[in-house]
Amino acid sequence: MKIILTQEVTGLGAPGDIVEVKDGYGRNYLLPQGFAISWTKGAEKQITSIKRARDAREIRDLGQANEVKSQLEGLAVKLQARAGTGGRLFGSITPGDVQQAVRTAGGPELDKRRIELPGHIKSVGAYQVQVRLHPEVTAKIALNVVAAK
């Protein structure tokens, strides 16, 4: 199935790219979530406007992404979660939890879809979390998960 991406999708491409994906992935995930539109000759004409908007955004965002990266890497993010004996959490840490912790630590507003966790976080400890700010800029956050009292 040929589709045109309207948003950045990790592992597939950037907005305005025409990609070939399996039918189920396109029909059941990309199209309903609004990450892509079906490819047609009429829709292909929209690609130029999508790419033009992306180029204008990227030029402005590259400098801003580097500023946000330096801001994020200087933060010490502490996240409290309910834990049992032995430091095992009741549940796991989600990107939304990390987004909230960064905001309370005085960091900038982040999109939780751009936060990449190093696997499932199910115990207390220190972790490295990556945030894709721009296709060329990735920030690393030091996340410290502690047991809530």
Side-chain angles (χ1 to χ4, degrees):
M1 165 181 239
K2 262 186 166 179
I3 57 170
I4 301 169
L5 296 177
T6 56
Q7 294 182 16
E8 181 181 343
V9 179
T10 306
L12 264 187
D17 291 348
I18 299 173
V19 292
E20 184 80 29
V21 295
K22 299 229 179 202
D23 292 343
Y25 182 52
R27 250 193 334 265
N28 298 326
Y29 179 68
L30 295 174
L31 294 175
Q33 294 292 326
F35 294 144
I37 56 175
S38 295
W39 178 87
T40 60
K41 290 189 185 227
E44 192 168 346
K45 293 176 185 173
Q46 294 177 345
I47 292 175
T48 57
S49 64
I50 292 172
K51 285 189 177 183
R52 197 174 325 124
R54 178 182 74 181
D55 292 340
R57 235 184 356 258
E58 279 184 5
I59 293 169
R60 181 183 58 205
D61 289 344
L62 184 59
Q64 184 183 10
N66 286 323
E67 291 175 21
V68 172
K69 177 182 177 182
S70 63
Q71 210 177 19
L72 284 174
E73 290 181 346
L75 280 179
V77 180
K78 186 176 183 182
L79 180 62
Q80 291 188 349
R82 289 185 48 215
T85 57
R88 187 153 171 85
L89 300 179
F90 295 126
S92 64
I93 302 299
T94 64
D97 297 333
V98 175
Q99 175 191 25
Q100 194 73 21
V102 168
R103 194 176 321 132
T104 57
E109 184 70 32
L110 297 175
D111 183 7
K112 67 181 179 182
R113 292 175 294 200
R114 295 188 171 269
I115 297 173
E116 296 175 350
L117 300 177
H120 297 287
I121 299 177
K122 294 187 175 189
S123 60
V124 297
Y127 297 93
Q128 280 291 101
V129 177
Q130 291 187 345
V131 181
R132 288 180 290 108
L133 300 169
H134 187 269
E136 301 167 10
V137 180
T138 302
K140 293 186 182 194
I141 302 173
L143 177 68
N144 189 18
V145 180
V146 295
K149 302 211 187 273

